[in-house]
Amino acid sequence: MDASVVGIRLASGVVAPLVKKLFQGEGAGAGLVDRPLRISSYLARREKRDLDAADLDKLASHLVREALRAPGERLLPPGEEAGVSAALAATLHALGDLTLSDVEAVSLGPRAFARRLRAAAPQTGLSRDAELFHARLVDLACLHILNFFTQRSTFVAATLVEQSRLHAETIAKVDELLTRIPRQDARDSAFETRYLSYLAHRHRTLTIFGLDLAPGSARWPLDAAYVSLEVAGPPPPAPWGPGPDGSAAPRVLPAEQLLTEHRRALLRGEAGSGKTTLIQWLAVSAAREPGGPVPFVLPLRTLTRHGERLPAPRDFLAGSPLAGEAPEGWEGRVLRDGRALLLVDGIDEIPEAERGPARDWLADLITAFPGNRWLVTSRPSAVRHDWLADVEFSEVTLAPMSRAHVRAFIERWHAAADHAPPEYREQLLNAVRSKPDLARLATNPLLCGLICALHRERRGFLPSGRKELYSAALSMLLDRRDRERLLRLPYLAEEPQLQLLQRLAYWLIRNGRTEMDRTRAEALIADALPSVPAARALGDAPAVFRHFLERTGLLRAPTVDTVEFVHRTFQDFLGARAALDEGGLGELTRHAEDDQWEDVIRMAVAQGRPRDRAEIMNDLLKRGEGSPRAALLAYACLEEAAELDSRLREEVTTAARALVPPRDNEAATSLARVGPLILEVLPGPDDLDDEAPAAYTVIAAAGTGSDEALPFLARYAVHPSEPARELLAGFWSRFDLARYAEEVIAPMDPAPERLIVTSDDQLLALSGFTGPPGLIIGRHVSRAALSAFLRRFPVSALSLLHFAGGADVEFLRGHGSLRRLSIDAWPELEDLSGLYGLPLEEVTLSPGRRPDLGPATASWPRLRSLTLAGDHAPWSFHRVDPSAPLEEIELQHAPGDLAGLGRLRTLRRLQLGHAWRPVAPAAWDELSLLMHLQELALPAETLGGLVRCPGLFSLQEVYVYPYEEVDPAVEERLRSRFPGVALLELQEESQP
């Protein structure tokens, strides 16, 4: 509570001296000899025993006069001043009747203390308004009385004595309590150790897709199998920056670091993308980390298998061998302490009707136990995009496997399949690099495993086209694997199985779904069995369904009552086969605008007869007259058409040429989906002068993900479009690092200004530049690799994000080409002396600790912009070279006196930080010397001082920090003092 709260605006300098007159001078010791230690023992005595009525009347009258003289609305009706003064004197006189000690009074707080004082005083007999004014004055006086008590040395000593007594009582009571109840900490610790050991063992292996190992070896060690995937999350802040259309690119980070960036995350990923594997990795990693979080793996499909309610914490271990063995309430204690890592797997794997209650269950747990980390997984379309937004979940998506991830997976798969010929691995790696279709298919661990298995099954040979690849995979899964393994099971040829499976696929496609009820699947099979009599060798419809589910590997059951294809690729391929068999070509092309049907149409062209292809293509061309999407789809289908009339092929190509260059990001993405074929119609750099079309053309070409795009992209390395060249610098992780660095990055002229580097391998791959580049260094780049790179190449700009490079920046000493430097979140950094004397022009320092800036900032004579955020050692404006052409300073913690600021006469933009307060009028004097200052950001509370500040004739904009309220009276005086100056709120992203 302060004066503004009670509604009377009186400065402390007015009230405090009046209140102090009530009390006598400082005494010695803790004041323990006066029992009870009454407040009356502090009252002023002078030569009389007590402060008399005349003194109190004089003091109360003075306080009333000052309150009425204060600015603001008059709160007391005229003519009632004397009555309030008398009532206030009587109330203050009641201080002598309180039996409270000063310690007890302070512990009450000012409001409760004021109520006790008014209760001890006689009734005032005042009117309603006068009584309210009197009550506010008493509140204000009590606030200062308690403040007076806390400043006395006797109060401090007495407080320590009282605290010691209370501590002793508390210790005695706790000791007594501990003797009555059994100790839980030892039991908790022992069980926790056992539980974490069980969890690490339980999730340490994976099922190996496509490998037939010796008995007892059918599981793959997680440590050997795990490939670190990436997740794409919300766009990052600068310096990553927006794309050419103004939209920021998603931030990509290693999946296992997801929960270090987001305490609560909803992770979306396609079937087979690695969501469950990531859950296992996080659980095992946490279980092995000393002092780490306690993981709870909660697979929803298992927890609700028989329609059970989702579990309370005490049932988190239900179904495990350790169920019922935990000490009573252990789960709740872990959650209350914020030590839990809750891994909720498969929102999409429970029936849709149960997803709403599941969301309520999550929200209730988070409300009850808010301090823990959460990861929830789902397929992309299972829940809406903001499904958990109101409980502060970040949404991220598992990114497709990069080329490096695919290479690592193939190497680890072949290491597990140690009986495969060693040359198979190299053959497959070369095939993935050289065959765009194969590379586009190898986007997640499930399909990578399939490709590895198919490659080994066919003794090192893989088909060249998508149709042939999918056909071979189906043949392996449906026929050859069981037959060649001599399993003693009823045999069913491949074709009858395809006939039944394609009916399931086409039903899903027609109904816009990727999963169906088990009963629906069995009914579709039962309807088809009379037409496919060979399938009766397996039994009735439920038996055939079980065969598909358990033996083929093509179907999976996300829940006990639903089924889906293991990957959408197989659903689309088989659905296209069904459409061709039924003669439903018109139904296919009617859905040309629906991206759910895009691959179905392409696979129909791939599998159809020449007449079928021509009919589909002609229909797409007709629809393409008013639909760019249909025309692009027709062009994409050319890649699938083994035979097509040359005239029709030319018509399709002409229609596609009319759609280039792309004019926005959506059009560029649509072109990229066509694949490498689109490179034939995209314009080269000589045909594009405008910046935006050139940038979108680069997006379209790079989006194909094909090595065939490299020569095309290399031609844009010298294009004058800065957005296009910046995009080129950002796409290199999608391609072979060394080749892209040599063919695209090295010839870029001018050299890239924002080249993102996330690994040592990328630094090593860089072979040269046309001039000093600018680098953005990620957290996984080592100091050794960066130091070695800087010895080979000069750089003009360096941004270190979450860098773990030791305690100093000695590797930058003497780097004479460095003009721009940004350090963000480098917690180990302590010594910045390595920056001394560098020709820096723009510097941003937000290291995360308190490094000593030392004399470094005074040694930068070219400095134009300086930003200091986060914690750092005390800093002064005197530590800037006054001859530097400094135009901009952003501080999070500016010194209160602003000493030395006035020397920086070229300054145009200044941020002082939301915590800055002037410690003396000299601060405003320093500010007034900035004759060229145009923009100033400072706390709203200090605007009153700015109004009185002389000079500042160039000021154009004044910013206050977000969520700060500006006093209307101060704002009015500010506008009068600086007419024409805009008063604005500083945007979050512009704060240091």
Side-chain angles (χ1 to χ4, degrees):
M1 182 181 70
D2 58 22
S4 64
V5 174
V6 298
I8 298 176
R9 298 180 179 178
L10 275 179
S12 296
V14 173
V15 184
L18 297 177
V19 168
K20 191 174 181 180
K21 292 181 180 180
L22 291 169
F23 303 100
Q24 62 185 356
E26 187 77 66
L32 300 179
V33 295
D34 185 3
R35 298 186 181 183
L37 183 62
R38 294 173 169 234
I39 290 175
S40 59
S41 65
Y42 290 133
L43 294 179
R45 291 185 174 86
R46 295 191 184 95
E47 70 282 359
K48 294 174 280 191
R49 176 62 186 169
D50 294 304
L51 192 68
D52 62 20
D55 295 327
L56 284 174
D57 287 341
K58 188 183 300 183
L59 189 151
S61 298
H62 192 173
L63 191 57
V64 171
R65 284 197 305 273
E66 291 296 331
L68 293 174
R69 188 181 301 166
E73 180 183 356
R74 181 183 173 94
L75 301 176
L76 181 66
E80 299 199 37
E81 295 88 344
V84 171
S85 296
L88 180 59
T91 303
L92 294 176
H93 192 271
L95 285 167
D97 298 326
L98 294 180
T99 59
L100 294 170
S101 70
D102 53 356
V103 175
E104 292 169 335
V106 172
S107 66
L108 281 177
R111 290 189 184 277
F113 178 60
R115 285 196 297 271
R116 293 284 291 270
L117 181 58
R118 285 195 294 270
Q123 294 293 323
T124 63
L126 298 173
S127 68
R128 185 175 179 278
D129 287 344
E131 175 59 36
L132 181 60
F133 186 71
H134 166 263
R136 289 175 175 175
L137 280 177
V138 172
D139 289 344
L140 183 58
C142 287
L143 178 67
H144 284 270
I145 288 170
L146 297 189
N147 182 63
F148 172 80
F149 289 159
T150 62
Q151 295 173 348
R152 296 174 62 88
S153 60
T154 53
F155 171 83
V156 175
T159 301
L160 291 174
V161 171
E162 180 67 12
Q163 287 177 346
S164 299
R165 184 185 63 77
L166 291 174
H167 287 169
E169 288 182 4
T170 302
I171 290 171
K173 290 176 181 177
V174 169
D175 286 344
E176 182 180 355
L177 182 63
L178 290 175
T179 62
R180 298 181 181 180
I181 61 175
R183 291 177 60 86
Q184 290 288 342
D185 52 358
R187 294 180 60 206
D188 281 3
S189 179
F191 175 79
E192 207 165 286
T193 300
R194 185 181 173 202
Y195 169 72
L196 294 176
S197 175
Y198 160 78
L199 206 66
H201 185 84
R202 166 71 178 80
H203 294 287
R204 68 190 173 118
T205 57
L206 298 171
T207 301
I208 306 175
F209 188 87
L211 284 181
D212 302 322
L213 300 182
S217 302
R219 302 284 291 177
W220 201 359
L222 182 65
D223 290 337
Y226 181 73
V227 175
S228 174
L229 300 181
E230 294 178 328
V231 295
W240 304 85
D245 61 350
S247 61
R251 185 178 189 184
V252 177
L253 69 154
E256 62 272 17
Q257 294 180 9
L258 171 60
L259 293 178
T260 64
E261 298 278 340
H262 307 282
R263 294 194 66 84
R264 302 172 190 167
L266 172 61
L267 175 67
R268 298 180 187 266
E270 300 288 353
S273 59
K275 300 187 298 295
T276 300
T277 303
L278 176 60
I279 290 278
Q280 288 184 240
W281 178 263
L282 292 172
V284 171
S285 300
R288 292 174 176 173
E289 179 184 351
V294 178
F296 293 97
V297 180
L298 305 173
L300 295 185
R301 60 185 175 275
T302 301
L303 296 174
T304 61
R305 178 173 295 162
H306 303 295
E308 302 97 328
R309 293 174 57 123
L310 287 165
R314 65 176 177 274
D315 299 320
F316 278 179
L317 304 187
S320 82
L322 298 182
E325 295 195 17
E328 182 69 27
W330 168 75
E331 299 91 344
R333 288 190 288 278
V334 170
L335 288 165
R336 280 195 301 274
D337 292 344
R339 297 192 299 118
L341 170 61
L342 296 112
L343 304 167
V344 183
D345 192 20
I347 286 291
D348 55 289
E349 295 181 354
I350 60 176
E352 187 173 357
E354 297 178 15
R355 292 172 191 168
R359 191 206 163 284
D360 295 338
W361 170 74
L362 285 168
D364 287 345
L365 283 174
I366 290 168
T367 301
F369 308 106
N372 302 285
R373 295 187 182 275
W374 290 80
L375 177 64
V376 179
T377 71
S378 172
R379 282 188 295 111
S381 58
V383 293
R384 67 180 188 271
H385 77 279
D386 59 346
W387 197 62
L388 292 173
D390 60 348
V391 282
E392 299 179 355
F393 270 70
S394 301
E395 291 208 9
V396 295
T397 303
L398 265 175
M401 295 175 73
S402 68
R403 288 173 176 265
H405 295 143
V406 172
R407 181 172 63 251
F409 185 98
I410 291 173
E411 290 173 346
R412 295 182 182 191
W413 193 97
H414 283 82
D418 53 9
H419 57 286
E423 63 270 18
Y424 280 11
R425 182 188 64 181
E426 292 305 318
Q427 289 177 2
L428 182 55
L429 288 171
N430 290 333
V432 170
R433 281 195 296 265
S434 60
K435 295 183 178 181
D437 282 332
L438 192 60
R440 285 201 296 274
L441 183 62
T443 56
N444 66 50
L446 179 72
L447 290 181
C448 278
L450 173 61
I451 290 170
C452 291
L454 182 60
H455 184 259
R456 189 197 63 175
E457 183 98 1
R458 297 169 66 96
R459 295 173 175 81
F461 170 76
L462 281 173
S464 57
R466 282 214 297 171
K467 173 198 169 186
E468 293 78 11
L469 180 66
Y470 300 158
S471 295
L474 289 170
S475 178
M476 179 188 73
L477 293 171
L478 296 179
D479 182 27
R480 292 182 59 193
R481 291 183 71 234
D482 280 358
R483 180 160 49 86
E484 294 180 6
R485 289 158 66 193
L486 302 177
L487 294 179
R488 299 176 64 182
L489 296 169
Y491 174 72
L492 182 60
E494 179 181 339
E495 183 59 30
Q497 296 184 75
L498 289 173
Q499 288 293 329
L500 296 175
L501 286 166
Q502 71 186 35
R503 283 169 167 78
L504 302 183
Y506 205 29
W507 186 93
L508 288 169
I509 292 167
R510 281 173 159 168
N511 288 276
R513 301 175 65 181
T514 57
E515 68 177 37
M516 66 173 72
D517 293 340
R518 180 178 184 138
T519 54
R520 170 74 67 180
E522 292 177 350
L524 289 170
I525 293 172
D527 291 343
L529 276 178
S531 303
V532 191
R536 292 191 177 277
L538 299 177
D540 58 6
V544 174
F545 174 81
R546 283 196 303 274
H547 168 81
F548 288 151
L549 191 62
E550 297 170 5
R551 299 303 317 154
T552 67
L554 270 175
L555 297 180
R556 65 186 292 270
T559 68
V560 292
D561 56 352
T562 61
V563 65
E564 65 184 6
F565 281 87
V566 73
H567 195 271
R568 179 65 186 261
T569 295
F570 297 117
Q571 176 181 310
D572 292 344
F573 185 82
L574 291 169
R577 196 177 189 271
L580 290 169
D581 283 355
E582 294 183 14
L585 303 184
E587 182 176 13
L588 289 176
T589 55
R590 280 198 302 274
H591 291 88
E593 296 294 319
D594 187 346
D595 60 0
Q596 300 274 339
W597 285 71
E598 179 178 321
D599 253 14
V600 184
I601 295 172
R602 294 182 65 168
M603 289 298 96
V605 171
Q607 298 179 80
R609 297 167 298 177
R611 186 175 59 190
D612 297 330
R613 295 188 191 116
E615 183 177 341
I616 293 173
M617 301 292 271
N618 276 311
D619 204 358
L620 289 175
L621 278 179
K622 290 177 183 177
R623 297 180 182 278
E625 294 174 1
S627 166
R629 183 178 181 83
L632 281 177
L633 182 53
Y635 189 68
C637 287
L638 290 181
E639 194 172 15
E640 320 294 348
E643 179 184 347
L644 191 67
D645 179 75
S646 60
R647 179 193 56 80
L648 183 55
R649 188 180 292 273
E650 182 58 33
E651 288 182 17
V652 172
T653 303
T654 301
R657 288 186 187 278
L659 301 175
V660 298
R663 298 293 175 179
D664 55 38
N665 196 63
E666 182 179 356
T669 304
S670 297
L671 290 174
R673 283 203 298 267
V674 171
L677 193 64
I678 199 63
L679 299 172
E680 298 178 11
V681 298
L682 285 175
D686 296 336
D687 301 321
L688 294 176
D689 295 328
D690 295 340
E691 283 195 350
Y696 294 125
T697 299
V698 167
I699 292 174
T704 65
S706 168
D707 286 342
E708 298 171 40
L710 284 178
F712 181 89
L713 294 172
R715 296 165 58 196
Y716 275 86
V718 293
H719 194 279
S721 168
E722 184 177 342
R725 286 184 283 105
E726 186 169 322
L727 284 165
L728 286 177
F731 281 133
W732 73 317
S733 61
R734 302 187 183 185
F735 298 87
D736 179 82
L737 296 181
R739 186 180 171 192
Y740 194 93
E742 179 182 359
E743 297 183 18
V744 180
I745 294 177
M748 287 179 65
D749 191 12
E753 294 183 359
R754 288 154 42 91
L755 183 61
I756 299 172
V757 180
T758 59
S759 69
D760 290 358
D761 289 342
Q762 286 182 318
L763 273 183
L764 189 61
L766 293 169
S767 57
F769 306 92
T770 58
L775 302 183
I776 299 175
I777 302 296
R779 72 174 73 217
H780 296 295
V781 177
S782 69
R783 178 185 176 116
L786 181 58
S787 299
F789 176 86
L790 294 176
R791 287 194 294 269
R792 291 187 293 140
F793 301 107
V795 298
S796 63
L798 195 60
S799 179
L800 302 172
L801 302 177
H802 299 273
F803 189 58
D808 60 58
V809 288
E810 284 302 309
F811 59 90
L812 293 178
R813 187 179 292 278
H815 205 78
S817 62
L818 192 61
R819 298 292 184 270
R820 301 192 307 277
L821 175 66
S822 174
I823 297 177
D824 183 14
W826 181 349
E828 297 87 3
L829 183 60
E830 296 177 356
D831 181 7
L832 292 171
S833 61
L835 303 179
Y836 187 86
L838 296 183
L840 292 170
E841 298 175 5
E842 298 178 20
V843 177
T844 298
L845 299 177
S846 179
R849 287 187 65 181
R850 295 178 60 84
D852 185 3
L853 301 180
T857 54
S859 69
W860 301 331
R862 301 185 183 182
L863 191 63
R864 293 186 293 104
S865 174
L866 176 64
T867 298
L868 299 178
D871 266 350
H872 51 77
W875 182 84
S876 165
F877 290 101
H878 285 294
R879 291 191 175 185
V880 178
D881 186 339
S883 66
L886 199 59
E887 296 183 355
E888 176 180 24
I889 293 182
E890 297 184 13
L891 301 175
Q892 187 168 336
H893 302 289
D897 58 5
L898 302 184
L901 175 63
R903 301 155 58 242
L904 311 178
R905 301 301 177 90
T906 57
L907 207 61
R908 298 180 181 276
R909 186 169 184 263
L910 174 64
Q911 289 189 29
L912 296 176
H914 63 83
W916 179 77
R917 299 295 185 273
V919 297
W924 298 112
D925 295 337
E926 292 281 350
L927 192 64
S928 68
L929 297 176
L930 302 179
M931 303 303 295
H932 300 287
L933 190 68
Q934 297 175 353
E935 300 178 27
L936 174 64
L938 72 175
E941 186 177 327
T942 66
L943 289 178
L946 179 64
V947 170
R948 297 186 295 273
C949 183
L952 300 180
F953 302 114
S954 298
L955 197 61
Q956 297 175 4
E957 294 174 349
V958 174
Y959 292 87
V960 295
Y961 290 87
Y963 316 116
E964 293 187 339
E965 293 186 7
V966 178
D967 188 311
V970 173
E971 181 177 356
E972 183 177 348
R973 298 205 308 274
L974 182 69
R975 297 189 185 283
S976 175
R977 167 68 178 81
F978 298 106
V981 170
L983 181 61
L984 306 168
E985 183 177 284
L986 193 67
Q987 298 301 308
E988 294 281 359
E989 60 269 17
S990 63
Q991 296 179 60

